[in-house]
Amino acid sequence: MAVETKAAIEAGADGPVRPAGRRSTAAALRGAGLLAAVAVLLLVSLLGIWWGTRNIPFTETWRLLWAPDGSQASVIIHEYRIPRTLLGVLVGAALGLSGALKQALTRNPLADPGLLGVGLGAATGVVLAIGFFGVVTALGYVWFAFAGAAIASVVVYLLGSAGRSLVTPDRLVVAGAAVTAVLFAFNSAVLLLNPRAFNQFRFWTVGSLAGRQMDVFWVVLPFIAVGLVLALALGPSLNALAMGDQMGRALGVNVGRTRAAGMFAVMLLCGAATAAAGPIAFVGLVVPHTARFLVGPDQRWLMAYSAVLAPILLIGSDVLGRVIGAPGEVQVGIVTAFVGAPLFLALCRRRKLVTL
């Protein structure tokens, strides 16, 4: 029985062990689907580089993409649209993967990147940067936001692991709710007493890719890259923990180390993404459910799909915001809320959300 259980987990099965032929066919289909999703991501990214408030023909966009000539159109493409699109890919992958990881760690199908206080920790860092240090640039916000997210993550984990008992998903959620309440009260007090800080903070808190250039991309890239590798490496261990802590230990998983590594990956991914683009709603909540609907509960495939599908949603929403807001634009954080909410409701109607 133990051998069959372990084989089922390694195969990503949720029930009886499947024949080897069926498992290989399912894996081939999932791999083909992942390649198709990557192709869609490339097309959406190209659309993000082409479409903007300045109308540049597609043929000229394609030429300038590979041969910049210093013209105004070339500057727009290389200094603004390419960095914005690359950051969208990076932030989207981080949000999608951190959402999937949080749902696995907490076994909560409604978990999103803000559940454990990471997002509000980043917001607190920005409030401090604006209200007390006079920071006004997106690059300046990044370091404060990331530091706030890191401190909030550490505090949540310490509170969740306090006492003699080991850290559990329920304790992490309760600790995250407590830290979130405290940080929200602190931010509200600072912003209400400082109208200038509130006026600047409200633009950051919408969530946007506009105005971010390559300097922001290079700052957050190392943190998100480490978080991506760590999260993907935790897939087999999370598959075992999905059956319960006792079964996970029986299969050789170090539960405490896995949860600590997962929290660290969430801090890197969600903290860096929020620091770079502000809080963006629904991406980390909707995308893991979409991936689960497509490939099932196997965390290895679920995380890989989440890392690809989330940038598609984010960049697609960013392009949609430019279309519906022309000649201006609607910020991506607003568009993802309008796009993500109906999609999430549709998923809820198609299949009942179960405890993870």
Side-chain angles (χ1 to χ4, degrees), residues 10-282:
E10 291 176 350
D14 205 25
V17 180
R18 299 175 182 176
R22 291 182 60 186
R23 288 203 303 268
S24 60
T25 302
L29 290 175
R30 290 169 176 172
L34 186 60
L35 291 176
V38 171
V40 173
L41 176 58
L42 291 175
L43 291 176
V44 172
S45 300
L46 183 59
L47 184 62
I49 296 173
W50 168 42
W51 193 275
T53 54
R54 167 74 182 272
N55 184 21
I56 303 175
F58 179 78
T59 53
E60 185 178 1
T61 300
W62 182 259
R63 180 181 64 82
L64 293 174
L65 180 62
W66 305 106
D69 57 9
S71 63
Q72 185 178 18
S74 178
V75 171
I76 291 173
I77 291 172
H78 286 272
E79 298 295 327
Y80 296 97
R81 294 185 184 176
I82 290 179
R84 180 174 184 167
T85 302
L86 290 176
L87 188 63
V89 173
L90 199 63
V91 168
L95 290 176
L97 201 51
S98 64
L101 191 55
K102 281 189 178 182
Q103 291 175 11
L105 288 173
T106 62
R107 297 183 203 147
N108 183 350
L110 298 179
D112 71 346
L115 182 65
L116 301 182
V118 182
L120 206 57
T124 303
V126 174
V127 168
L128 292 174
I130 296 173
F132 296 96
F133 296 96
V135 178
V136 295
T137 64
L139 183 61
Y141 294 156
V142 167
W143 294 110
F144 283 90
F146 187 74
I151 294 172
S153 299
V154 172
V155 171
V156 167
Y157 186 80
L158 291 178
L159 290 176
S161 59
R164 295 182 178 180
S165 58
L166 294 174
V167 60
T168 63
D170 293 340
R171 297 184 70 181
L172 285 176
V173 172
V174 172
V179 171
T180 296
V182 172
L183 293 179
F184 180 79
F186 173 80
N187 292 349
S188 299
V190 173
L191 295 175
L192 288 174
L193 294 174
N194 190 335
R196 181 189 61 83
F198 173 75
N199 191 47
Q200 293 182 4
F201 178 76
R202 65 189 179 93
F203 289 105
W204 179 84
T205 196
V206 170
S208 175
L209 297 174
R212 274 66 168 178
Q213 297 182 325
M214 288 303 295
D215 50 4
V216 176
F217 174 85
W218 292 119
V219 166
V220 299
L221 176 61
F223 301 106
I224 293 179
V226 173
L228 287 171
V229 172
L230 181 57
L232 293 173
L234 289 174
S237 298
L238 293 174
N239 277 343
L241 289 184
M243 304 182 67
D245 290 357
Q246 291 184 350
M247 182 61 72
R249 292 190 188 96
L251 294 171
V253 175
N254 188 315
V255 177
R257 185 186 305 165
T258 299
R259 288 217 172 92
M263 283 288 295
F264 182 66
V266 167
M267 181 269 291
L268 291 174
L269 293 168
C270 184
T274 307
I280 297 177
F282 275 103

Side-chain angles (χ1 to χ4, degrees), residues 332-344:
V332 68
I334 299 174
V335 180
T336 55
F338 278 98
V339 173
L343 180 58
F344 184 65

